[in-house]
Amino acid sequence: MKDLKELKKIEQFSDQCMKCGFCSFFCPVYQEEKMETSVARGKNFLIKEVLAGRQEFTPEMGDIIGKCLLCKRCAANCPSKTQIDRVVVGARAQMVKEKGLGAIKNFAFRKVMANRKAFGKYARLMQKFQWMMPTTEGKIKHLPDFVKGLGKRNFPALSKTFLRDQVKPVYKPQNGQQAKMRVGFFMGCAMDFVYPELGLKIIDFLTRHGVEVVVPEDQNCCGAAIYFSGDLETGRMLADLNIKAYKDLNVDYIVTGCGTCSSTLKDYQKYLPDNEDQLQRYTEFEKKIKDSTEFIIDILKVPPEEFKLKKEFEGKTATWHDPCHLIRYQNIKDQPRAILKALKGLKFVEMPNADLCCGMGGSFSVYHYDLTKKIALKKMDGIKATGADIVVTACPGCMINLLDNVLLNKMPQKVHHLLELVE
Amino acid sequence: MLKESVISELQKIVGKDNVLTAPEALKAYSYDGTTSWIHEPDAVVFPTTTDEVSRIMKLANAEKIPVTPRGGGTNVSGGSVPWLGGIVMTMTKFNKILRVDKENLTATVEPGVVLQDLTMRLAKDGLFFPPDPQSFLGATMGGIISENAGGPAGVKYGVTKQYILGIEVVLANGDIIHLGGRTLKNVVGYDLLHIFISGEGTLGVITKAELKLNPLPQARKTLCVVYDDVAVAGEGVFRVLENGVIPCKIEMIDNWVINRIEEMMPIGLPKDADACLLFEVDGMPEVVEKEAEKIAEITKKYGAKEARIAPNQDEANKYWLARRAGFAAVFGKAKQVFAEDVTVPRGNIPAFIKKIREIAKTFDVEIVVLGHAGDGNLHPAVLTDPANKDHYERALKAVDAIIESAAVEFGGVLSGEHGIGLEKKKFMRKVTEPAVINMMKGIKALIDPNNIMNPGKIWE
Ligand SMILES: Cc1cc2nc3c(=O)[nH]c(=O)nc-3n(C[C@H](O)[C@H](O)[C@H](O)COP(=O)(O)OP(=O)(O)OC[C@H]3O[C@@H](n4cnc5c(N)ncnc54)[C@H](O)[C@@H]3O)c2cc1C
Ligand code: SF4
Ligand code: SF4
């Protein structure tokens, strides 16, 4: 009998499914493909077949479990509360165990992304050649393949100076305020390499509101793309590095402006543990993690009148996109809306299906870019229906994909992080 | 296994991407909404036009390959499981809403349209399709027609067969026929339309349907009525009706279900109640107010402990969400559930419920009731575990007893809405006159002489 350790871990979740098929209505992938193999029910059935020893991890099987955005739309609407995200990640982990990571992912995950310095160097190398690429709009250029398979897409330019080369280790609260709290800032890859100003902006907002911010140098990639692809081993390595980076800093919370990072850091305990010790460590770590929107509203309790709209957004109409990792992974949906509604001079309009996945799904979009574009089209329809000038969200991952698709569809909207709007 | 030549012929008809033969894909089409009926097809095809369906049928008929039509695969009787292999013909890509006709209150749809998509589209024109199977998120119009589906709103609006004006069908030999029409009245020869409605895919493939619609009611009101005795709740159902109020829904949840729902999502249902009836009335705003009060009055007069009128739609939604969660609650609690679909005449509900309780005692198994009380379709569900042989045997006996008593003692039927498929086959002969079965066989032989349409089901 084969060792099905990773699958055994998720067997209880896969047993939840009663095959009602309701998930088909919510699954963005099924809605495009209309095939049973794309939907949670089908994936779960096949994974159970592996558990029963009747199915191998064939290339087709790999493709089926790969074609999931982990958007949790199915799980959020499942009458039996089947956590298909855990089932799929478990199956990917089992497959990685048996077959190893594909050559591409192997290089990208283990050699580049898991090593912050190498990631930076690789990113910087591309930055050097950026001027050779055709400019599509403003800062937007076609980058050469980032991870092989990323293909040609509108990708925001890498920043000249990365965030971690600009930050200080400690920021005191501004205007001589007494520190209310001490918070560790977690930047995440996208903010580090693509949106460093945003990182500085968030730090500035926090320190203005009496928070002392520390930014440990040895923080790493959160590990989302890595462990969601089934590489739990590298995932655990990153988790441990990150936990270590904040361990002795004596911080009350760890705050990040990236929805995917905050959910990933919180969920180490769900997806990664291999033993009790890890479970305990990751559960402990989770307690400190806060998404920036959640932190500002629920912990700092910044009152509405203290949110001031930046001049350049005066009179604009904004709509909000719920990142999967905020609304379904962390149940954060009211906090960002509270901030948007507090901004005087900005008109806020809800888009239809605000909670629909943008189609990015981390490395999903690397392997299934065509599907990503189709799924994003539905998002674009929602955006168009609002007549908004700007699309606001709080996950740099979504920002990158929204930007790509807004441009692909020749739409006028600009894409912004929520905290970019705030003075 | 299908011959290479058949596969390549299928690919020619619907295109390569619309023919699946990978073992993984075949597994994914080996099941439906049932727990234990599983059989793989040899190929899965996705037609998108009537012509494609016709060409596939001609090919299959010539080669004598079984064809099982499939919609959302949500049925709970094994109906879309390809029991003898062959081709699964999946309609999920054949899914356009062709026309919504406000003047005539009709809509024309392709078979793969999912009910919820239709509902959302019709709402834009202030219309709705009244039958409301609770699987509306996954069920397709083709499947709904083929199972003659119905839901809670059946009390007032009836079931699918009352809302199908006409259909286009492709027969086993590939012939395309049209039954019914677009008018409300139609007496042109035998009413053949209605043997295809509830035909469970054994007579032909439905490729188009003309639906009868209603205008959306302007207002709704929900009541949750609490009972100390489930049989008294059963009586409440017909007392309300005989006193002149026809609610659009009357649903029942018993004590066991109430408590499971409260565990899953506490919404404040009375945990000590023996049963609750949920009522919904719809219509003009003034009328629903009056009707809700009247229901409260009648139910209290006939033994209800309490009648709560939901003050707003949010609270009403909570009750209905709870009702829908009930199904999952039952399935989540046992390795195997025999969700019976027997239906009795409304007046016999109290006596039937008493009988179910007796049966549960006799065989020492858990039987829960959560059903469409308004139409006598009570869905008693027997909870068991196949691994526990002794328990499983007793559960099977309990199922037999339930069916026997419902269908024979209380003048009801074996299936109210889920169909016979594979799951209820063994009871079919018990409760149906041999002459009737022979007539069904004869009809089948006439329409599908090679027996290729969804073989192995219903009476076989
Ligand atoms: C949680 C849950 C709740 C449910 N609640 C209800 C309820 O309240 N009321 C109710 O009535 N049912 C209910 N059902 C049962 C089921 O949803 C219905 O039977 C539904 O009508 C099936 O539709 P489908 O598209 O999924 O069809 P499928 O399951 O795919 O097929 C059902 C049958 O129809 C045939 N068929 C499908 N499409 C065609 C076609 N185009 N032409 C010819 N034959 C075809 C198939 O061969 C099969 O025999 C429920 C099921 C679940 C899982
Ligand atoms: S909605 Fe949930 S229970 Fe139903 S088929 Fe999908 S995963 Fe399974
Ligand atoms: S997580 Fe998203 S993409 Fe994956 S099966 Fe569920 S709904 Fe589909």
Side-chain angles (χ1 to χ4, degrees):
Chain A
M1 201 51 196
K2 258 200 315 194
D3 171 22
L4 293 169
K5 185 176 142 212
E6 297 300 337
L7 280 185
K8 287 277 179 218
K9 283 198 228 167
I10 53 88
E11 189 168 12
Q12 50 169 318
F13 304 117
S14 87
D15 278 346
Q16 288 287 112
C17 174
M18 53 153 184
K19 300 213 241 77
C20 70
F22 294 3
C23 40
S24 59
F25 191 77
F26 301 97
C27 176
V29 182
Y30 178 86
Q31 284 299 324
E32 293 307 326
E33 301 196 317
K34 303 278 183 192
M35 289 185 186
E36 194 65 30
T37 43
S38 340
V39 74
R41 175 171 71 167
K43 293 185 167 88
N44 194 63
F45 183 85
L46 286 163
I47 292 166
K48 282 171 89 91
E49 287 289 290
V50 180
L51 261 162
R54 289 190 290 261
Q55 172 69 42
E56 291 292 320
F57 283 110
T58 55
E60 284 78 13
M61 188 63 196
D63 201 42
I64 288 165
I65 57 174
K67 249 191 215 175
C68 172
L69 294 154
L70 295 176
C71 71
K72 274 202 188 179
R73 290 255 301 171
C74 53
N77 293 287
C78 169
S80 319
K81 305 215 173 358
T82 310
Q83 300 181 50
I84 204 69
D85 49 308
R86 298 178 82 157
V87 176
V88 167
V89 172
R92 290 178 184 175
Q94 184 68 38
M95 184 164 173
V96 166
K97 224 181 168 100
E98 286 177 25
K99 309 266 156 176
L101 283 168
I104 298 163
K105 283 193 182 171
N106 208 353
F107 175 70
F109 293 171
R110 296 215 162 132
K111 300 278 159 24
V112 184
M113 289 169 82
N115 177 330
R116 207 43 186 274
K117 288 227 173 71
F119 199 177
K121 222 189 285 168
Y122 192 71
R124 180 136 15 238
L125 198 71
M126 292 193 302
Q127 189 189 6
K128 281 221 179 86
F129 295 102
Q130 226 178 50
W131 58 271
M132 292 168 55
M133 305 301 144
T135 308
T136 347
E137 197 220 56
K139 270 174 73 171
I140 317 306
K141 298 171 187 219
H142 290 295
L143 268 186
D145 292 3
F146 176 47
V147 175
K148 197 167 182 295
L150 209 62
K152 261 201 185 164
R153 66 174 78 193
N154 304 296
F155 201 81
L158 285 177
S159 172
K160 284 219 169 60
T161 4
F162 296 154
L163 181 55
R164 73 201 137 91
D165 297 330
Q166 305 182 41
V167 286
K168 298 189 294 181
V170 184
Y171 291 82
K172 291 280 169 204
Q174 294 179 37
N175 310 320
Q177 294 174 73
Q178 187 72 0
K180 282 188 212 162
M181 258 175 260
R182 188 173 150 93
V183 152
F185 185 68
F186 184 86
M187 45 194 151
C189 300
M191 214 172 283
D192 191 358
F193 303 135
V194 186
Y195 300 110
E197 330 78 50
L198 175 59
L200 295 172
K201 175 93 230 225
I202 297 174
I203 295 172
D204 175 65
F205 184 91
L206 295 177
T207 51
R208 246 186 311 122
H209 288 84
V211 178
E212 178 175 343
V213 179
V214 291
V215 193
E217 192 190 17
D218 41 0
Q219 59 180 284
N220 241 289
C221 165
C222 69
I226 295 165
Y227 77 65
F228 283 136
S229 294
D231 185 0
L232 302 192
E233 199 184 311
T234 313
R236 281 190 284 268
M237 184 187 99
L238 286 170
D240 290 336
L241 284 171
N242 283 326
I243 291 172
K244 191 158 156 255
Y246 291 87
K247 194 162 184 269
D248 300 317
L249 295 179
N250 197 21
V251 292
D252 300 307
Y253 295 101
I254 298 166
V255 174
T256 170
C258 169
T260 300
C261 292
S262 52
S263 107
T264 304
L265 300 173
K266 281 183 184 176
D267 285 348
Y268 285 161
Q269 39 88 26
K270 266 196 194 145
Y271 302 96
L272 295 179
D274 220 3
N275 55 46
E276 272 305 311
D277 178 49
Q278 285 164 355
L279 177 64
Q280 212 180 8
R281 197 154 14 110
Y282 299 156
T283 311
E284 206 46 48
F285 189 57
E286 178 205 357
K287 293 184 189 146
K288 295 220 152 154
I289 311 299
K290 294 285 165 202
D291 185 72
S292 56
T293 56
E294 179 189 23
F295 180 75
I296 289 168
I297 297 292
D298 297 347
I299 309 289
L300 264 190
K301 299 196 170 31
V302 176
E305 61 278 10
E306 279 183 37
F307 293 102
K308 298 269 171 335
L309 183 67
K310 256 182 126 176
K311 267 270 154 342
E312 56 178 296
F313 299 107
E314 206 71 58
K316 297 257 194 268
T317 302
T319 188
W320 168 257
H321 159 70
D322 286 302
C324 304
H325 281 276
L326 283 188
I327 190 162
R328 282 179 292 275
Y329 280 73
Q330 304 184 66
N331 196 20
I332 295 177
K333 66 171 192 282
D334 298 335
Q335 297 90 329
R337 287 178 170 82
I339 299 178
L340 277 168
K341 286 177 190 157
L343 289 168
K344 287 223 171 63
L346 184 78
K347 190 170 157 215
F348 168 56
V349 203
E350 282 283 355
M351 67 168 91
N353 297 321
D355 77 324
L356 202 64
C357 175
C358 70
M360 176 84 162
S363 51
F364 177 94
S365 79
V366 174
Y367 297 96
H368 308 289
Y369 187 43
D370 280 343
L371 258 174
T372 289
K373 283 191 288 190
K374 282 191 202 156
I375 292 165
L377 212 53
K378 295 214 171 101
K379 190 90 238 176
M380 297 301 124
D381 287 342
I383 294 171
K384 281 184 200 159
T386 61
D389 310 299
I390 47 179
V391 186
V392 186
T393 189
C395 171
C398 299
M399 285 166 72
I400 289 171
N401 196 46
L402 289 170
L403 181 72
D404 183 24
N405 285 282
V406 161
L407 290 172
L408 274 174
N409 290 289
K410 304 194 168 47
M411 289 159 58
Q413 282 82 8
K414 302 277 182 243
V415 180
H416 288 285
H417 189 285
L418 175 59
L419 295 173
E420 284 181 273
L421 271 60
V422 182
E423 191 63 74
Chain B
M1 275 291 280
L2 297 182
K3 287 188 286 190
E4 272 307 314
S5 63
V6 171
I7 301 283
S8 77
E9 206 47 48
L10 287 172
Q11 287 173 340
K12 257 188 236 153
I13 299 171
V14 292
K16 263 206 160 80
D17 288 348
N18 288 322
V19 180
L20 308 181
T21 51
E24 291 77 7
L26 301 182
K27 280 194 174 132
Y29 285 90
S30 67
Y31 57 79
D32 55 20
T34 44
T35 10
S36 46
W37 300 97
I38 287 169
H39 195 283
E40 287 173 29
D42 299 306
V44 184
V45 294
F46 296 82
T48 53
T49 64
T50 304
D51 178 58
E52 285 174 4
V53 173
S54 165
R55 286 161 65 197
I56 297 166
M57 288 318 306
K58 276 196 185 111
L59 174 67
N61 202 32
E63 302 278 342
K64 302 207 171 38
I65 301 164
V67 176
T68 302
R70 178 183 172 105
T74 68
N75 80 86
V76 280
S77 54
S80 48
V81 173
W83 201 236
L84 302 186
I87 297 170
V88 161
M89 189 189 280
T90 308
M91 312 307 263
T92 47
K93 297 185 183 185
F94 192 177
N95 66 341
K96 285 198 284 296
I97 297 169
L98 299 171
R99 173 170 58 181
V100 176
D101 183 344
K102 272 187 93 163
E103 268 172 34
N104 289 303
L105 295 180
T106 60
T108 316
V109 296
E110 291 181 347
V113 171
V114 170
L115 178 54
Q116 180 67 358
D117 286 320
L118 178 71
T119 303
M120 282 160 59
R121 167 64 190 83
L122 294 178
K124 287 186 185 161
D125 281 312
L127 302 170
F128 80 117
F129 177 72
D132 60 342
Q134 293 302 286
S135 47
F136 51 82
L137 292 166
T140 63
M141 295 317 294
I144 285 169
I145 296 170
S146 302
E147 297 284 4
N148 189 14
V155 191
K156 176 168 174 180
Y157 294 105
V159 297
T160 299
K161 68 178 174 193
Q162 278 126 339
Y163 295 87
I164 306 301
L165 298 174
I167 53 173
E168 177 183 86
V169 185
V170 176
L171 299 177
N173 64 6
D175 283 358
I176 302 166
I177 60 165
H178 297 85
L179 298 170
R182 297 188 54 214
T183 56
L184 286 181
K185 292 185 168 177
N186 189 336
V187 199
V188 187
Y190 296 153
D191 189 356
L192 297 177
L193 169 62
H194 282 88
I195 59 168
F196 283 83
I197 299 177
S198 73
E200 300 191 32
T202 61
L203 297 175
V205 185
I206 297 167
T207 47
K208 207 187 282 177
E210 190 73 21
L211 314 174
K212 176 166 118 64
L213 309 173
N214 273 14
L216 266 175
Q218 290 170 16
R220 293 172 194 284
K221 204 105 209 160
T222 291
L223 289 94
C224 175
V225 182
V226 185
Y227 287 91
D228 282 334
D229 179 350
V230 62
V232 178
E235 184 186 338
V237 174
F238 62 81
R239 291 299 181 200
V240 166
L241 294 164
E242 79 182 5
N243 279 283
V245 184
I246 301 191
C248 72
K249 300 174 187 166
I250 312 177
E251 295 288 293
M252 179 185 284
I253 42 181
D254 73 2
N255 175 277
W256 189 93
V257 179
I258 291 171
N259 281 284
R260 292 300 89 67
I261 293 170
E262 283 296 308
E263 277 167 21
M264 282 165 72
M265 43 160 169
I267 61 162
L269 292 173
K271 285 194 242 177
D272 55 345
D274 199 34
C276 285
L277 287 181
L278 297 180
F279 290 87
E280 184 180 86
V281 286
D282 66 355
M284 303 281 217
E286 306 80 23
V287 178
V288 299
E289 288 296 335
K290 277 246 157 62
E291 287 185 332
E293 283 163 24
K294 183 95 188 174
I295 292 173
E297 186 192 310
I298 302 168
T299 49
K300 275 195 259 175
K301 183 169 156 198
Y302 288 98
K305 189 171 149 196
E306 189 194 344
R308 304 180 187 172
I309 302 180
N312 49 46
Q313 197 52 42
D314 274 355
E315 183 159 335
N317 290 343
K318 261 201 243 161
Y319 289 128
W320 293 109
L321 194 70
R323 164 64 187 90
R324 278 202 296 276
F327 203 78
V330 174
F331 275 77
K333 279 287 166 185
K335 280 265 185 275
Q336 182 148 10
V337 177
F338 296 110
E340 283 321 308
D341 186 32
V342 287
T343 304
V344 297
R346 270 191 295 245
N348 288 343
I349 293 177
F352 182 49
I353 292 177
K354 279 192 193 133
K355 183 81 189 189
I356 293 173
R357 295 237 155 148
E358 263 169 43
I359 293 171
K361 264 210 198 100
T362 311
F363 297 99
D364 190 21
V365 288
E366 187 92 62
I367 306 180
V368 305
V369 175
L370 87 157
H372 314 314
D375 52 27
N377 189 193
L378 283 174
H379 292 320
V382 186
L383 279 55
T384 184
D385 177 359
N388 182 343
K389 267 229 147 53
D390 174 52
H391 193 278
Y392 190 74
E393 292 294 319
R394 279 185 278 125
L396 284 176
K397 284 191 189 134
V399 169
D400 280 347
I402 289 174
I403 288 171
E404 195 84 24
S405 81
V408 180
E409 196 176 332
F410 296 109
V413 294
L414 174 56
S415 171
E417 58 179 29
H418 294 163
I420 303 300
L422 295 164
E423 182 116 357
K424 298 283 179 291
K425 235 168 58 170
K426 68 171 184 173
F427 300 109
M428 179 79 182
R429 277 172 196 281
K430 258 197 208 163
V431 299
T432 318
E433 289 160 353
V436 175
I437 300 240
N438 279 337
M439 202 183 279
M440 288 188 190
K441 275 188 189 168
I443 291 171
K444 170 80 172 167
L446 177 75
I447 300 178
D448 174 19
N450 291 325
N451 194 19
I452 60 162
M453 286 306 312
N454 203 0
K457 307 284 169 72
I458 309 184
W459 47 263
E460 264 190 76

